[in-house]
Amino acid sequence: MSIMRAAGALAAALVIGLAASPAESSADSVGLNYGSDGVDYSPWAGVRHAIERPGSPVPGTDEQCRPTEDKPRPVMLLHGTGMNGLNTWSTLAPALAAEGYCVFAPTYGAYPEAPGVGGVRKVVGDAADEVAAYVDEVRARTGAEQVDLVGHSLGAPVGAYVAKALRPGDIGTVVFIAGYWMRPGTSTVSNWPALRPLEKSGRLKDVIAAGPIRSGIDLVRPSPLIDAVWAGGTPYLEGVRYRTIASEFDEVFPPAIGFAGVDGGEDVIVQDGCDLSRSGHMTMPSDPRVVDLVLGALDPRSTRAPRCVPTDPMTGAQGMTPR
């Protein structure tokens, strides 16, 4: 992925983020649907929702929801850098709600002057503490003993950090979508050769700290986030179920970078058993196959066969676009 392409993607994410408010919860359903399950499988579902229903919450979320005996753990969805709950989770949130889950999709790590652009404040001591506090709030509000976390991109290591270091025992399942386990020998800039000299010189942290997107500081060694997640030689916490979902077409964190590389969790490549899926980093959360893989991780009793439909890195599920 070139620097210009990375910058363009980030700029697009920031524009989308500014257009959407940091909505958290509602019983409202998505306005434009596709398919028999009433879910809009388009990466633009959240943008469309923000334009048509400005200020409305993430579809599929409901702050009054109470878990059932069959689905006892609420699911908290954690977006990535420069994104928010609405523009990341307007497919997965209603899909989970349709299966009976209580779903929460907060926007975290945003600056007050840009509340719709999340995942940009420093993680350790700031954004991750915000997520941990929200875990407490959801547990208190719902009466649930544990919460499950599903994170996309930055939201994945944030979820891992919260589960292991900040709220051990309070998290039942952690699901990575296009995330980064920060294992030894890998780097956040592995796919960006132009940034490698900065990393080798030790100046990358300084460059990140000088900009507005400071969350990346904690993904570069040395890092208290990486140290905490990998304490004891493994990123996995006993008693927590982990699934990492990666795509061969992810231009940011493909399997070679995204997987932890140690025993204790389940690694799934989207293309295994489905050559039609070519979802990239930004479209994975809206891919029907990824949705099914998340559902299977949250409920191991599920016999759901993950769907296999044509997808691509730009428009998500082909044919599942605005009517």
Side-chain angles (χ1 to χ4, degrees), residues 62-256:
D62 179 4
E63 65 179 10
Q64 304 302 321
C65 183
R66 295 297 180 266
T68 64
E69 184 176 348
D70 184 52
K71 301 290 191 301
R73 292 188 304 277
V75 181
M76 185 183 301
L77 307 177
L78 304 176
H79 58 76
T81 305
M83 304 299 285
N84 59 50
L86 182 63
N87 61 22
T88 303
W89 302 119
S90 288
T91 291
L92 186 59
L96 293 176
E99 295 294 323
Y101 287 97
C102 289
V103 185
F104 299 87
T107 295
Y108 71 93
Y111 294 114
E113 56 270 26
V117 184
V120 291
R121 297 201 322 266
K122 198 173 184 299
V123 175
V124 175
D126 195 346
D129 289 351
E130 183 182 350
V131 172
Y134 199 72
V135 169
D136 297 340
E137 181 182 340
V138 168
R139 290 182 62 232
R141 185 187 303 173
T142 62
E145 293 185 6
Q146 291 185 317
V147 172
D148 290 340
L149 301 179
V150 179
H152 172 249
S153 194
L154 175 70
V158 169
Y161 176 63
V162 170
K164 189 172 184 180
L166 300 186
R167 293 297 184 271
D170 293 347
I171 309 301
T173 302
V174 175
V175 183
F176 272 39
I177 300 175
Y180 173 52
W181 270 113
M182 308 167 294
R183 75 174 187 265
T186 64
S187 166
T188 55
V189 303
S190 293
N191 284 350
W192 302 339
L195 293 181
R196 290 177 192 166
L198 281 175
E199 185 180 50
K200 290 181 179 179
S201 69
R203 294 173 49 227
L204 185 57
K205 277 180 173 285
D206 295 335
V207 171
I208 296 173
I213 305 176
R214 296 174 185 168
S215 52
I217 294 173
D218 294 305
L219 301 184
V220 179
R221 291 178 172 81
S223 162
L225 170 63
I226 297 177
D227 291 344
V229 170
W230 279 88
T234 175
Y236 302 128
L237 181 65
E238 186 175 355
V240 179
R241 184 167 55 252
Y242 295 88
R243 173 175 282 186
T244 301
I245 304 170
S247 171
E248 297 283 5
F249 294 90
D250 187 336
E251 61 276 32
V252 181
F253 298 132

Side-chain angles (χ1 to χ4, degrees), residues 37-58:
D37 57 1
V39 175
D40 188 348
Y41 290 96
S42 164
W44 307 109
V47 179
R48 188 161 55 237
H49 190 86
I51 293 172
E52 296 186 350
R53 303 180 183 185
S56 63
V58 181

